[in-house]
């Protein structure tokens, strides 16, 4: 039996409404996209939806008390909450450099790291 999923493409501000028809795991047709990026996005959303993840964590010894951080690669949508819990337990001590790895292989997956999004020097009081 053919079923359909609906998505809104996030590839550009147009936001094409996408329709993906499938039979179980098998994609039958993708429609509604004005360019190939939309079809690629719908396929990705259906097969393995992934998300960027960025937030802030506590930092001590710096001018500000929150440090912006991000995961350096998109993570599976189902792991976002797990990632949030892990990252929010992080306590960082200044100084920190832009791009510095704060948690390596965050989900036990090689190459998925939490990194600092800015440099914060140590404040000497
Ligand atoms: S399908 Fe192409 S034109 Fe439409 S929203 Fe996505 S990127 Fe933009």
């Amino acid at each position: 039996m053919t079923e359909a999923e609906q998505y809104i493409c996030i590839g550009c501000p147009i936001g094409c409404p996408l329709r993906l028809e499938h039979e179980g795991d098998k994609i039958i047709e993708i429609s509604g996209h004005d360019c190939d990026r939309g079809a690629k996005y719908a396929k990705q959303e259906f097969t393995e939806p992934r998300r960027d993840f960025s937030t802030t964590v506590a930092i001590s010894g710096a001018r500000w008390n929150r440090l912006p951080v991000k995961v350096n690669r998109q993570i599976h949508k189902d792991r976002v909450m797990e990632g949030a819990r892990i990252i929010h337990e992080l306590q960082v001590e200044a100084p920190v450099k832009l791009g510095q790895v704060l948690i390596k292989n965050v989900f036990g997956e090689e190459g998925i790291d939490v990194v600092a999004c800015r440099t914060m020097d140590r404040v000497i009081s």
Side-chain angles (χ1 to χ4, degrees):
M1 186 178 84
T2 302
E3 295 176 284
E5 309 296 332
Q6 313 280 345
Y7 305 108
I8 301 293
C9 181
I10 60 169
C12 82
I14 294 171
C16 291
L18 309 173
R19 178 182 170 87
L20 182 147
E21 293 183 14
H22 63 99
E23 290 176 2
D25 291 342
K26 185 180 175 194
I27 297 172
I28 305 300
E29 185 177 11
I30 298 171
S31 58
H33 51 291
D34 279 357
C35 73
D36 289 345
R37 286 164 62 194
K40 188 176 171 189
Y41 175 74
K43 186 178 177 186
Q44 177 79 48
E45 280 294 284
F46 181 69
T47 57
E48 192 188 15
R50 300 185 80 83
R51 297 289 182 270
D52 292 319
F53 186 85
S54 58
T55 183
T56 62
V57 298
I59 183 168
S60 57
R63 183 173 178 184
W64 295 278
N65 60 11
R66 303 296 295 179
L67 172 72
V69 301
K70 69 174 184 178
V71 178
N72 65 343
R73 285 172 35 192
Q74 288 192 322
I75 57 177
H76 195 284
K77 184 179 165 186
D78 293 345
R79 303 196 87 168
V80 168
M81 291 309 294
E82 178 189 357
R85 277 192 292 275
I86 294 169
I87 293 166
H88 284 145
E89 289 175 5
L90 194 59
Q91 297 279 330
V92 179
E93 182 83 24
V96 174
K97 295 287 182 201
L98 172 68
Q100 182 176 327
V101 174
L102 304 170
I103 304 176
K104 191 156 184 64
N105 303 332
V106 65
F107 299 114
E109 281 188 59
E110 188 68 32
I112 299 187
D113 303 330
V114 176
V115 298
C117 292
R118 65 166 296 172
T119 294
M120 280 199 190
D121 294 327
R122 183 156 190 87
V123 173
I124 300 168
S125 54

